[in-house]
Amino acid sequence: MAGRIVPVTRLAEPAGAALGALFGGMAALRGGKPVHPDGHVYGAVVRRTGSPRRWGSSWLDDAGEDRGIARLSRAAGLPEPLPDVHGLAVSFTGMDGRRHDVLLATTGLGRWTRFALRPTRRIRAPYGSLMPYQAPRGHVLLAAVPVPRPLTPPENVMAFRLLAATPTGPWRPFGSLELSRRPGSPVDDPVRFDPVRHLLPGLRWPPVLARLREPAYAAARRTAVSPAGHTEA
């Protein structure tokens, strides 16, 4: 097994550097965001009921509530009704006073399709983390599945059931996510989400995935977007 892991580890850094160069170039061309250039920002409430499968992470295992913002967007920015990979990003401040971000994209939920991006015309679709986090008790994938039910109060626009699973195991619910309109706020804020710097409580990225993802996010951060839509080096 060691003979298989070592080459992957060595390839992670050059692959991450290549992604960083690609994302940096796209960010410069697009004026800030290399992917998901346009979207809608909502108020977000995460209500955690606790996972029946214990992960050793209080954020997954214990009941609680987190409030922040969420952004729905199209990855390539293709005009509707063309299919695109949709993104769901959530950011909140935890009980520890620190910021925490999670990024999900439209994927399947099957044994293999949970690791594949899925272009779709519908924004109401299953979203997944695509890559597994490392929890104290094993690797865990996250997913958000839209809930087809009326929402109250009326300012709520969409709700999701939050799920967690091992890379090959069944999905188990651990909470819900509700998105709501923000009266008086712009439709899309110049906000950046960074799941590498702002990890979820009690979770981390496996070292190989961290080395792969960090250069891309670092390159995107170097070209910031101002509220007026201009780029800032």
Side-chain angles (χ1 to χ4, degrees), residues 77-102:
L78 299 176
E80 297 183 33
L82 294 175
D84 203 339
V85 173
H86 290 75
L88 170 59
V90 181
S91 181
F92 61 91
T93 301
M95 295 294 293
D96 54 6
R98 300 172 62 184
R99 173 179 167 178
H100 304 285
D101 291 0
V102 57

Side-chain angles (χ1 to χ4, degrees), residues 87 155 179 220:
E155 63 266 20
L179 309 186

